[in-house]
Amino acid sequence: MAKTVDQAFSELISKLTPTPMQFEAASKHRQEIESCLDNRLGIFRLFETGSLRHGTGVRNHSDSDFMVSLKGDRPSSDTALARVKSALSARYPLTSIRVSRPAVVCKFWNGDIEVTPAYIRSADGDFSYWIPAPGGDWIISSPDAHNKYVTEVNTRPGISGSAKHMARLLKGWKYFNDVPVSSFYLEMRAAEYISRQSAVVWVYDMCYLFEELRSHGLAAMNDPKRVSGRINPCSSDYSKGISLSKVSSAANRARRALEAYKNEKHADAFTALNLLFNGKFPSRW
């Protein structure tokens, strides 16, 4: 029996969900990294911030992300990154370690781990931190506040689970199509979109969200928690140009899929969705 489009979306979401091995890889290194940075630099805490632990990560694509709250006066962001890289390079001399703002990336054999240096900005309510900005200097971040926002939207009655599923679908589209857009931006856009819905049907809502992203030109969005000001989609104008072109193509394909779905042309809907996800959408049979 042929799968329906709805069943195929459910299958895709399941396939995008990380395996336990990805979580195990992070836990194997966490204690060593924390001890290393505390001994060499002095830290308040090291904690996991990324989508892998938060429930919006993508299998085989999302890294393990840690933020390290450093002691002492805040230097330039270049200096902070260099210090963390130097400390980790001394601990792991045979591991490839590089700076990729806002983090230091450790390429371990069992998965990448990103460590972002941070300095406490405010301890009122949810902690906020200064972290390295994409082009230099510092920006404000509050992982706890943003994770709470996504979770609050995700647990709304009637559409429970939809915010994180939508974020995972958008990130899957990003990775499958090599789109240089921020995963954090996509997650916040997904949650904000779902917060306005009373029901979710994936073939409709993927189309409507991509069309929204195209209509506002992939604009920076206001932080829904009013912590970090504007949330930018890309690290450069060049990356934004590429991303916007791919968003436009995605909106066209999602619209073709929706129109075929509404007209009960199921084979055509699957074809368009397979193009949308660059050959990774589950087959009909």
Side-chain angles (χ1 to χ4, degrees), residues 37-243:
L37 295 176
D38 193 27
N39 290 337
R40 292 175 178 270
L41 302 178
I43 70 173
F44 290 110
R45 61 189 288 236
L46 181 141
F47 55 100
E48 198 158 0
T49 62
S51 59
L52 188 62
R53 184 66 59 182
H54 182 49
T56 60
V58 174
R59 182 181 301 184
N60 299 327
H61 289 280
S62 296
D63 298 332
S64 299
D65 299 325
F66 294 99
M67 188 174 287
V68 57
S69 176
L70 297 165
K71 294 180 179 179
D73 295 333
R74 176 163 56 96
S76 71
S77 58
D78 286 337
T79 297
L81 287 163
R83 288 174 179 172
V84 171
K85 179 180 183 294
S86 177
L88 293 174
S89 295
R91 175 62 185 82
Y92 302 106
L94 301 181
T95 299
S96 173
I97 298 175
R98 62 184 175 86
V99 171
S100 179
R101 283 178 172 272
V104 174
V105 182
C106 304
K107 294 191 73 66
F108 294 111
W109 68 269
N110 53 357
D112 292 358
I113 291 182
E114 297 189 2
V115 182
T116 299
Y119 287 84
I120 295 173
R121 173 180 175 268
S122 174
D124 295 332
D126 294 313
F127 276 71
S128 64
Y129 298 88
W130 293 105
I131 67 169
D137 206 11
W138 298 90
I139 56 172
I140 301 168
S141 175
S142 180
D144 291 340
H146 293 132
N147 287 347
K148 283 181 181 179
Y149 170 71
V150 175
T151 299
E152 286 167 4
V153 176
N154 195 60
T155 54
R156 288 180 57 203
I159 56 169
S160 179
S162 297
K164 293 188 178 183
H165 289 336
M166 178 62 89
R168 198 164 262 153
L169 287 168
L170 284 182
K171 292 179 187 180
W173 164 80
K174 163 192 165 160
Y175 292 124
F176 297 155
N177 291 280
D178 295 320
V179 187
V181 65
S182 161
S183 293
F184 175 58
Y185 176 85
L186 293 179
E187 183 166 332
M188 291 296 104
R189 282 292 186 191
E192 191 277 330
Y193 173 85
I194 293 295
S195 73
R196 296 183 268 116
Q197 310 308 312
S198 58
V200 173
V201 179
W202 294 119
V203 68
Y204 280 86
D205 291 291
M206 290 296 294
C207 176
Y208 296 158
L209 181 48
F210 275 120
E211 288 181 341
E212 278 191 13
L213 293 173
R214 178 174 62 185
S215 69
H216 60 55
L218 210 61
M221 67 179 290
N222 291 326
D223 180 358
K225 299 303 289 185
R226 299 182 180 178
V227 173
S228 56
R230 302 281 281 172
I231 299 172
N232 291 308
C234 302
S235 59
S236 68
D237 289 341
Y238 178 74
S239 294
K240 184 176 179 180
I242 295 172
S243 298

Side-chain angles (χ1 to χ4, degrees), residues 3-28:
K3 286 193 288 284
T4 66
V5 166
D6 292 337
Q7 289 170 336
F9 267 108
S10 295
E11 182 178 327
L12 177 60
I13 290 167
S14 178
K15 288 182 176 180
L16 291 172
T17 303
T19 65
M21 289 182 62
Q22 285 186 263
F23 296 104
E24 292 168 7
S27 62
K28 286 180 179 179

